[in-house]
Amino acid sequence: MQFMLLFSRQGKLRLQKWYVPLSDKEKKKITRELVQTVLARKPKMCSFLEWRDLKIVYKRYASLYFCCAIEDQDNELITLEIIHRYVELLDKYFGSVCELDIIFNFEKAYFILDEFLLGGEVQETSKKNVLKAIEQADLLQEDSKPRSTRLHSCVKS
Amino acid sequence: MVVPSLKLQDLIEEIRGAKTQAQEREVIQKECAHIRASFRDGDPVHRHRQLAKLLYVHMLGYPAHFGQMECLKLIASSRFTDKRVGYLGAMLLLDERHDAHLLITNSIKNDLSQGIQPVQGLALCTLSTMGSAEMCRDLAPEVEKLLLQPSPYVRKKAILTAVHMIRKVPELSSVFLPPCAQLLHERHHGILLGTITLITELCERSPAALRHFRKVQILRLLRILGRNHEESSETMNDLLAQVATNTDTSRNAGNAVLFETVLTIMDIRSAAGLRVLAVNILGRFLLNSDRNIRYVALTSLLRLVQSDHSAVQRHRPTVVECLRETDASLSRRALELSLALVNSSNVRAMMQELQAFLESCPPDLRADCASGILLAAERFAPTKRWHIDTILHVLTTAGTHVRDDAVANLTQLIGGAQELHAYSVRRLYNALAEDISQQPLVQVAAWCIGEYGDLLLAGNCEEIEPLQVDEEEVLALLEKVLQSHMSLPATRGYALTALMKLSTRLCGDNNRIRQVVSIYGSCLDVELQQRAVEYDTLFRKYDHMRAAILEKMPLVERDGPQADEEAKESKEAAQLSEAAPVPTEPQASQLLDLLDLLDGASGDVQHPPPLDPSPGGALIHLLDLPCVPPPPAPIPDLKVFEREGVQLNLSFIRPPENPALLLITVTATNFSEGDVTHFICQAAVPKAPLRLKLRLTYDHFHQSVQEIFEVNNLPVESWQ
């Protein structure tokens, strides 16, 4: 996979994961053009389109578009499965995920993605393992909070 | 004292609360100022929160480069929270182009070897996302060590990081090849998956690696292994057949596996039976209700149609059905595939379908469909008449979308089929009478009417209903084309010439034609004006030659467009030499003299491009070479010389089929009362910069005139 973009129906970017090195300017240009192209698609059209020399696989979940760019030899149907699996992971983590969850917790969305894909390839097929890894990392993050804040929250409760 | 800063979520709320773009900008700029100050103060406690906020506004499109160094600091911190955000920032803000990116190499190295798994995970993730070639070289040893560590969590990440490293630095293959054998024996799915990806990557890059991995039974790997390797392919045949038949396709995942099987079969040297199986799987996909599946089926069948033509032919009806898809990307694929499936036995049926499609297809597919149909018609036409009908249908349905040479092709086709002249001219006349807007059709029709006008008026033709056309109607139609604002200049040229030809084909007197011709003698379009003036001259001074010049075109056998052009040109050249002397002398072989005109500034000796200085040479127009539509942006004409009524004009054309070529026509006109005799015009063109040196000699008013001058002010458009 070369990159994955998440954007809303108004074209606002919610997540951008790039697996190829590109300048900021290029990324912005690609994002702008691709978002326009995908948003222009009618609802009944198929999930694949050819854009520049890449294959684009996209799917809409509620108000969010999940859009991946894959290479010529990659399997489009598998990419659809990958997108679906990512949505399932988000859903499990946030509990009935909606766009707002991803907006307010965008770092978490990235962390989850990074446990599922690495360098553009699938690293873990088991949903359980991915979520377990995130849980562990979250715990570690809790532990590393400075003592004063933790005490403070204890006193409050 | 540190001012308490906004929490990330609070900032997000505030930004979303902004009602206008300007308001949002204000909020963000204010916050960025705080963040900048905080970075400057070096506050370690809130740094991660500041960076997180910065990353959020970065996603909205605002600049965040001042956070780059903060990423480094956070990564170097010992707190996991800091590292998490720091690495995320590195992946989003740092890339190969910034020198700063190398600075994290050390931190990554430390984190890789310090043993806390989540931290190692972060480091590996970052390395595999944005690691540059130098970073990869530096850190290869660390990653290699992690490949054989006990923890599967770290190992699977290390493996995929190795994949990235090999992609960046192919020489690292030698480092990561040896551990693979051991990794293949692992049970953990994540590790196996990563290993297979790694092996795939290794094998794609080096055939030597292939030797190690014969018996691995995973689909994607099979594809690489089997490529061009007979033995492995045989082993896989049975396996693939099994997978293909036993996969459950009730869910997309099953279809994805089946598709991968098909892709594998396509790539390796499979037995014929297996390939047929693949084609049939794709054929079944075509009937699937999910349009994504139909799409991949069409795309894959397109790849197979050349090598497994007969197998794909069996699914032709289904493919043709797909032409009716509402989704343009599907119908485009279906069109390409349908065109590839046309052969001599199904051409009539297929053409019917394709022509029906042409009538209703989306505009961006029209051009491809039209040229596809024309091409297929040329290859497989069962009869000439069918061929003409087909082209005619395409011209009437999608006339504006056909390629430029369609006109030339059709006129040649018709010209060469004598038995169909009457039929063609009739059909074209009817089509033209209905609609004069489709330019290619109008051009061909005009040409035909001009050539075979007599057959049109003769009234009898078995193949169409008898049609009574009288002369006045025909002339009126051509005049209508001439006057219509929809007609391109080239089209009007065709119409004018056709009218002229009719002067010898029709029985009535030619007053009407002469009138039109003389009117167009003052037309603003130079090309048309020139023709009209020449035709007028034909009427007035050379009437005895008119019939010979306007004779019917000789039949040309269609052995290829090039041969035909040459044949025509040689015939025209022959007829040219019969033309009476016009008041200029044609430019003889005076090339050597021309070189004198070059002032030697351009060192090498160049022959000037062919020019046409004498109006006499322009008789070629009368004999009607297939007219190429003029280039889209006409270059303005240039008057370069005037003396006592003798004027020289330059006009410029770039032929559309060869835009690198610039054709300059020099037109000499004598407005004065006295005759100009012994007119000689010579030109030299030094290559660069583009300019023209002209020498004129002539007799005028009983004086010998010699003029030498340079044209420097050629219009800008002629330079490119």
Side-chain angles (χ1 to χ4, degrees):
Chain A
M1 191 182 297
Q2 290 213 353
F3 57 84
M4 181 189 290
L5 302 173
L6 263 67
F7 50 90
S8 71
R9 292 221 298 198
Q10 286 77 40
K12 285 223 130 100
L13 200 57
R14 299 298 179 208
L15 185 144
Q16 47 172 339
K17 189 75 190 180
W18 299 84
Y19 294 108
V20 287
L22 288 167
S23 74
D24 236 11
K25 207 166 103 175
E26 286 168 295
K27 286 183 193 165
K28 281 207 169 122
K29 183 157 179 264
I30 291 175
T31 306
R32 205 178 33 239
E33 282 179 25
L34 200 50
V35 167
Q36 238 179 12
T37 311
V38 172
L39 287 178
R41 303 272 287 178
K42 302 202 193 50
K44 292 288 182 178
M45 297 177 105
C46 76
S47 295
F48 313 125
L49 61 102
E50 291 188 347
W51 184 81
R52 302 196 182 179
D53 57 341
L54 292 170
K55 299 203 276 198
I56 305 291
V57 180
Y58 73 93
K59 194 155 165 124
R60 203 184 112 198
Y61 288 84
S63 59
L64 263 185
Y65 282 88
F66 287 70
C67 183
C68 298
I70 58 175
E71 282 156 3
D72 219 32
Q73 67 271 26
D74 292 329
N75 179 337
E76 291 99 321
L77 297 179
I78 294 268
T79 310
L80 270 181
E81 284 299 305
I82 290 176
I83 292 178
H84 192 73
R85 174 54 62 92
Y86 181 44
V87 174
E88 282 178 327
L89 287 167
L90 290 168
D91 196 51
K92 206 62 199 284
Y93 182 82
F94 287 109
S96 240
V97 68
C98 64
E99 191 186 342
L100 278 179
D101 291 319
I102 299 186
I103 295 172
F104 281 93
N105 300 283
F106 71 94
E107 341 87 275
K108 295 283 166 55
Y110 276 107
F111 298 150
I112 295 173
L113 185 60
D114 286 339
E115 290 298 331
F116 175 42
L117 301 178
L118 201 79
E121 309 284 342
V122 175
Q123 65 176 288
E124 183 58 68
T125 47
S126 150
K127 262 194 286 197
K128 206 173 67 177
N129 286 351
V130 172
L131 292 166
K132 210 163 67 176
I134 295 285
E135 234 177 77
Q136 279 185 349
D138 283 347
L139 269 172
L140 199 55
Q141 185 160 344
E142 267 305 308
D143 285 345
S144 73
K145 279 216 172 92
R147 294 200 141 249
S148 52
T149 9
R150 274 200 294 157
L151 263 173
H152 181 84
S153 54
C154 285
V155 167
K156 266 181 82 171
S157 54
Chain B
M1 222 236 332
V2 180
V3 176
S5 54
L6 269 182
K7 285 227 195 88
L8 170 63
Q9 311 222 323
D10 294 335
L11 174 65
I12 298 179
E13 273 214 51
E14 210 183 312
I15 293 176
R16 285 173 65 76
K19 303 238 177 30
T20 65
Q21 184 77 334
Q23 223 180 339
E24 178 186 285
R25 230 193 329 263
E26 214 185 292
V27 169
I28 290 177
Q29 274 171 3
K30 202 173 84 183
E31 187 56 34
C32 282
H34 283 310
I35 295 175
R36 270 194 151 107
S38 168
F39 286 161
R40 261 200 313 270
D41 292 338
D43 168 22
V45 174
H46 297 109
R47 193 179 281 140
H48 71 276
R49 179 198 285 174
Q50 307 293 41
L51 185 64
K53 287 188 284 185
L54 191 58
L55 292 179
Y56 183 78
V57 307
H58 174 249
M59 184 146 63
L60 293 178
Y62 294 86
H65 46 273
F66 54 89
Q68 284 170 7
M69 292 313 272
E70 306 304 314
C71 297
L72 299 176
K73 294 184 195 158
L74 285 166
I75 291 172
S77 154
S78 51
R79 278 172 50 194
F80 185 68
T81 317
D82 286 349
K83 283 191 192 285
R84 234 182 172 188
V85 181
Y87 274 119
L88 180 61
M91 286 190 272
L92 289 174
L93 299 180
L94 291 175
D95 68 56
E96 301 190 347
R97 272 155 253 261
H98 303 116
D99 292 329
H101 85 277
L102 285 171
L103 297 172
I104 62 172
T105 312
N106 226 24
S107 297
I108 294 186
K109 192 183 265 186
N110 291 337
D111 284 338
L112 285 178
S113 23
Q114 49 71 72
I116 301 178
Q117 291 184 23
V119 173
Q120 289 172 312
L122 287 177
L124 286 168
C125 179
T126 307
L127 183 52
S128 66
T129 306
M130 50 74 73
S132 64
E134 294 139 274
M135 284 170 71
C136 291
R137 268 191 216 103
D138 278 341
L139 296 164
E142 270 71 25
V143 175
E144 192 197 346
K145 263 184 262 164
L146 293 175
L147 281 180
L148 299 166
Q149 250 212 356
S151 148
Y153 175 79
V154 174
R155 283 169 87 181
K156 72 179 186 197
K157 289 187 194 265
I159 295 168
L160 284 176
T161 309
V163 172
H164 172 84
M165 290 177 140
I166 293 175
R167 285 179 182 156
K168 281 294 193 188
V169 186
E171 299 86 63
L172 289 174
S173 300
S174 48
V175 172
F176 293 115
L177 181 53
C180 285
Q182 190 177 347
L183 287 170
L184 272 179
H185 294 298
E186 294 293 330
R187 296 280 207 79
H188 188 277
H189 284 291
I191 294 184
L192 270 178
L193 192 56
T195 309
I196 287 159
T197 314
L198 178 58
I199 295 174
T200 308
E201 196 65 35
L202 286 166
C203 293
E204 269 183 349
R205 286 169 193 282
S206 125
L210 277 172
R211 275 182 278 120
H212 296 261
F213 304 112
R214 285 258 184 99
K215 305 223 161 101
V216 179
Q217 295 172 19
I218 312 287
L219 285 167
R220 176 81 186 263
L221 188 52
L222 289 184
R223 204 200 305 184
I224 313 295
L225 296 181
R227 215 170 263 161
N228 296 320
H229 195 273
E230 290 280 347
E231 247 179 76
S232 315
S233 300
E234 274 170 33
T235 326
M236 288 175 224
N237 280 336
D238 295 333
L239 174 72
L240 288 171
Q242 259 183 49
V243 172
T245 35
N246 293 339
T247 307
D248 166 29
T249 54
S250 53
R251 289 168 50 235
N252 183 55
N255 281 323
V257 170
L258 209 53
F259 183 49
E260 191 68 36
T261 317
V262 168
L263 290 175
T264 310
I265 294 175
M266 276 162 56
D267 265 353
I268 67 178
R269 278 199 200 149
S270 359
L274 208 52
R275 297 180 78 88
V276 172
L277 176 62
V279 171
N280 289 342
I281 293 175
L282 292 173
R284 273 209 321 269
F285 272 5
L286 278 182
L287 299 165
N288 195 305
S289 51
D290 181 347
R291 75 177 60 84
N292 293 329
I293 306 235
R294 295 204 294 275
Y295 179 89
V296 299
L298 285 170
T299 316
S300 307
L301 281 171
L302 204 52
R303 283 170 56 187
L304 283 174
V305 73
Q306 298 302 334
S307 49
D308 298 87
H309 193 90
S310 39
V312 182
Q313 274 287 352
R314 254 175 254 136
H315 299 278
R316 188 166 54 83
T318 329
V319 172
V320 170
E321 267 304 306
C322 291
L323 283 172
R324 304 187 218 294
E325 292 276 359
T326 42
D327 180 346
S329 39
L330 257 74
S331 51
R332 171 182 288 280
R333 289 266 171 292
L335 174 65
E336 285 171 29
L337 193 50
S338 303
L339 285 170
L341 286 175
V342 177
N343 60 28
S344 37
S345 42
N346 62 28
V347 65
R348 283 190 199 253
M350 284 299 274
M351 280 303 158
Q352 247 184 322
E353 296 282 357
L354 287 167
Q355 284 181 336
F357 177 65
L358 184 62
E359 279 167 22
S360 57
C361 73
D364 51 334
L365 286 181
R366 283 251 165 104
D368 291 329
C369 189
S371 45
I373 291 179
L374 292 178
L375 214 65
E378 197 164 307
R379 286 177 66 193
F380 300 113
T383 65
K384 276 194 181 170
R385 187 179 137 174
W386 180 93
H387 194 177
I388 291 176
D389 284 341
T390 307
I391 302 185
L392 205 60
H393 184 257
V394 172
L395 288 182
T396 38
T397 330
T400 41
H401 297 272
V402 295
R403 278 181 18 215
D404 296 336
D405 60 357
V407 173
N409 284 342
L410 185 54
T411 51
Q412 270 171 24
L413 183 60
I414 295 177
Q418 188 176 19
E419 68 283 11
L420 292 168
H421 284 174
Y423 172 74
S424 307
V425 71
R426 236 157 246 294
R427 287 217 55 198
L428 282 164
Y429 178 80
N430 286 340
L432 188 64
E434 271 192 41
D435 175 10
I436 63 168
S437 66
Q438 307 247 38
Q439 297 302 291
L441 179 67
V442 176
Q443 288 175 5
V444 177
W447 180 87
C448 233
I449 294 175
E451 278 292 304
Y452 311 122
D454 49 330
L455 296 176
L456 180 61
L457 296 164
N460 45 346
C461 170
E462 309 89 49
E463 285 145 347
I464 326 185
E465 315 91 64
L467 169 75
Q468 259 319 94
V469 182
D470 67 48
E471 292 185 10
E472 294 300 309
E473 285 178 341
V474 177
L475 294 178
L477 187 56
L478 284 175
E479 281 170 32
K480 190 168 152 196
V481 170
L482 207 48
Q483 288 154 11
S484 164
H485 63 279
M486 293 186 284
S487 297
L488 293 174
T491 310
R492 295 164 85 191
Y494 270 98
L496 189 62
T497 308
L499 271 172
M500 193 60 193
K501 288 186 199 168
L502 285 178
S503 71
T504 55
R505 315 274 197 269
L506 303 181
C507 322
D509 67 35
N510 290 326
N511 283 331
R512 189 165 174 175
I513 298 178
R514 290 191 66 161
Q515 249 186 327
V516 174
V517 162
S518 85
I519 288 175
Y520 277 84
S522 38
C523 172
L524 287 175
D525 181 301
V526 175
E527 170 77 21
L528 224 48
Q529 186 194 105
Q530 182 171 339
R531 287 186 190 217
V533 167
E534 288 159 9
Y535 295 161
D536 197 47
T537 316
L538 252 193
F539 271 126
R540 284 195 289 115
K541 292 196 189 166
Y542 302 99
D543 206 46
H544 53 283
M545 299 183 55
R546 188 165 44 90
I549 292 182
L550 298 174
E551 215 169 62
K552 277 205 184 150
M553 298 273 290
L555 290 181
V556 231
E557 265 318 305
R558 299 192 70 211
D559 32 65
Q562 288 305 90
D564 288 320
E565 304 287 38
E566 286 158 18
K568 275 204 208 139
E569 279 175 16
S570 61
K571 288 199 196 322
E572 275 131 29
Q575 279 176 301
L576 244 188
S577 56
E578 295 163 16
V582 273
T584 62
E585 274 174 20
Q587 185 181 34
S589 53
Q590 293 161 342
L591 291 172
L592 293 173
D593 292 350
L594 283 170
L595 296 175
D596 295 344
L597 292 180
L598 289 168
D599 54 11
S602 55
D604 41 301
V605 165
Q606 295 278 357
H607 293 308
L611 289 186
D612 188 11
S614 56
L619 266 177
I620 289 178
H621 290 300
L622 281 182
L623 300 170
D624 225 338
L625 286 170
C627 189
V628 176
I635 308 172
D637 293 347
L638 190 65
K639 184 165 95 173
V640 294
F641 170 82
E642 174 151 39
R643 178 181 159 150
E644 292 172 359
V646 179
Q647 213 180 73
L648 225 66
N649 273 328
L650 297 184
S651 59
F652 307 87
I653 288 182
R654 284 192 189 283
E657 64 272 0
N658 189 1
L661 193 64
L662 178 69
L663 295 175
I664 307 179
T665 306
V666 179
T667 309
T669 322
N670 177 13
F671 292 113
S672 71
E673 309 278 43
D675 282 346
V676 168
T677 55
H678 300 96
F679 181 89
I680 297 176
C681 169
Q682 296 170 308
V685 184
K687 259 227 161 138
L690 182 63
R691 55 187 202 278
L692 216 57
K693 202 157 184 179
L694 290 169
R695 189 213 290 177
L696 301 177
T697 58
Y698 58 89
D699 293 346
H700 191 206
F701 293 137
H702 310 295
Q703 280 178 324
S704 277
V705 178
Q706 183 178 302
E707 293 270 351
I708 301 178
F709 55 91
E710 202 169 308
V711 181
N712 282 324
N713 53 339
L714 290 167
V716 182
E717 298 91 324
S718 65
W719 295 355
Q720 284 97 25

